[in-house]
Amino acid sequence: MATQLVTTAAELREASARLLAQKAGRSQGLVPTMGALHEGHARLARTAVEQNDVVVASIFVNPLQFGDAVDLDRYPRTLDADLALLEEQGVDLVFAPSVEEVYPGGEPLVRVTAGSLGEKWEGASRPGHFDGALTVVAKLLHYGIPRSGLPATGAFVSGGGGGLPAYRAYFGQKDAQQLALVRRMVADLNFPVEIVAVPTVRSEDGLALSSRNRFLSAEEREAALVLSQALRLLAERATAHQPLDLESARAMVESQSLVGLDYFDVVDPLTLEPLAENCRKVPFRGEGLALIAAKVGPVRLIDNVPLSS
Ligand code: PAF
């Protein structure tokens, strides 16, 4: 079936309810995006299509999560190519609302705040970013709620229980802090949705795919490889039960002159608090997440790998 494009919440409600009824669907998946899609998004969409009867992808460049207007203007808009990519993965519906549709009264007065988890790492250099991202994710999660099978009271449960469709939303592990925050929001505020994390997609040389990679020159792209190399080194040390020796991995990144390292640390995967002891001279034990962010030429890149020993 061809992918259908809708631009208003009312159209989305109507179209997704009709599709669920037509397919006698038991589950609906939502893939929130800002467009400029690449293979990483394709993997999110494919995973959603494999796991759900009806899949909605949203494309919305959310002004609330951009600190500066230049960055917002510069964000690539590639709707036709995005639609083609989503259609190839088998997505049923694309919801591409205008700013006025999402924020009809202008900037919302009431917002979701990310708290202390949103102030560290990426949040430290992008104040307000995660408040803006969580606010729109909250709205998108509401837009995407499967409507078919709702009892007259409007009550809703996730998981397909009681004859109601299951509801899942898909986020990339590459944005580890966003993922951790979305999980916290859903748990803290009782959103009726299961959050599914999808592994990072990398190009053959290891660079994590990102919509921002297109702004790297060939030389900068080559230099940026040190990020994934340093992360891989830590993952190998963790698997081999060796000390992580984070300092030597940091030095490796800092030796690359085109790369301006912002942070590189090993954290608890849920709280994102540093696991200081595990990074020093003792063999790594347990679970962790290595996070890195750096400016390469004009582009800020982030990446991470799970550590397990
Ligand atoms: O990860 C993104 O693309 C965005 O932050 C999201 C989740 C679509 C919210 O605007």
Side-chain angles (χ1 to χ4, degrees):
M1 208 188 301
T3 303
Q4 189 187 340
L5 174 66
V6 293
T7 57
T8 68
E11 285 170 346
L12 173 63
R13 262 197 309 276
E14 196 275 322
S16 64
R18 188 170 24 79
L19 274 168
L20 269 174
Q22 268 170 13
K23 296 185 174 192
R26 305 279 302 119
S27 54
Q28 185 159 303
L30 174 73
V31 184
T33 82
M34 296 207 300
L37 305 183
H38 49 65
E39 182 51 33
H41 299 102
R43 182 161 181 187
L44 289 179
R46 269 200 307 280
T47 309
V49 168
E50 279 159 21
Q51 297 180 354
N52 298 280
D53 297 320
V54 172
V55 173
V56 178
S58 63
I59 299 179
F60 178 63
V61 183
N62 173 35
L64 287 194
Q65 68 190 80
F66 287 82
D68 116 34
V70 179
D71 228 22
L72 174 62
D73 286 348
R74 208 169 75 125
Y75 196 86
R77 271 96 169 159
T78 56
L79 185 62
D80 290 344
D82 294 345
L83 290 175
L85 178 141
L86 293 168
E87 175 143 22
E88 246 172 68
Q89 316 314 314
V91 167
D92 299 287
L93 278 172
V94 174
F95 176 48
S98 63
V99 174
E100 294 69 34
E101 175 71 18
V102 177
Y103 303 119
E107 288 212 356
L109 179 66
V110 176
R111 302 173 187 219
V112 179
T113 58
S116 56
L117 187 53
E119 284 163 12
K120 54 184 90 171
W121 310 122
E122 280 310 281
S125 57
R126 304 175 70 188
H129 166 73
F130 287 116
D131 293 357
L134 285 188
T135 300
V136 85
V137 170
K139 294 190 69 131
L140 294 169
L141 290 174
H142 285 125
Y143 290 130
I145 288 177
R147 302 286 160 175
S148 142
L150 273 179
T153 60
F156 182 88
V157 293
S158 73
L164 303 179
Y167 181 29
R168 306 183 182 95
Y170 293 78
F171 292 84
Q173 273 170 3
K174 172 159 175 295
D175 292 307
Q177 191 169 4
Q178 172 172 276
L179 175 63
L181 278 163
V182 169
R183 286 194 191 286
R184 269 312 287 258
M185 175 178 74
V186 162
D188 288 352
L189 302 181
N190 300 83
F191 279 52
V193 61
E194 178 191 343
I195 300 302
V196 182
V198 178
T200 303
V201 177
R202 300 178 180 282
S203 43
E204 267 179 26
D205 55 16
L207 188 69
L209 298 195
S210 161
S211 309
R212 294 163 187 250
N213 290 354
R214 69 189 72 197
F215 299 122
L216 294 169
S217 68
E219 202 190 353
E220 287 159 355
R221 195 187 176 291
E222 187 64 28
L225 295 180
V226 76
L227 272 61
S228 53
Q229 285 161 359
L231 289 172
R232 202 169 52 237
L233 186 64
L234 290 194
E236 284 165 6
R237 286 177 181 163
T239 312
H241 312 292
Q242 289 170 359
L244 295 183
D245 192 4
L246 187 54
E247 290 315 313
S248 71
R250 272 202 192 116
M252 173 177 157
V253 178
E254 280 164 345
S255 70
Q256 178 51 262
S257 63
L258 292 179
V259 175
L261 184 61
D262 179 356
Y263 59 78
F264 185 15
D265 221 322
V266 174
V267 300
D268 176 281
L270 293 181
T271 63
L272 306 189
E273 287 298 327
L275 295 179
E277 284 314 308
N278 255 337
C279 308
R280 295 170 197 252
K281 304 291 172 203
V282 294
F284 182 80
R285 292 270 171 251
E287 303 294 316
L289 188 66
L291 296 177
I292 194 164
K295 194 100 187 281
V296 185
V299 185
R300 182 181 172 79
L301 295 176
I302 58 171
D303 198 355
N304 66 83
V305 287
L307 305 177
S308 182
S309 175

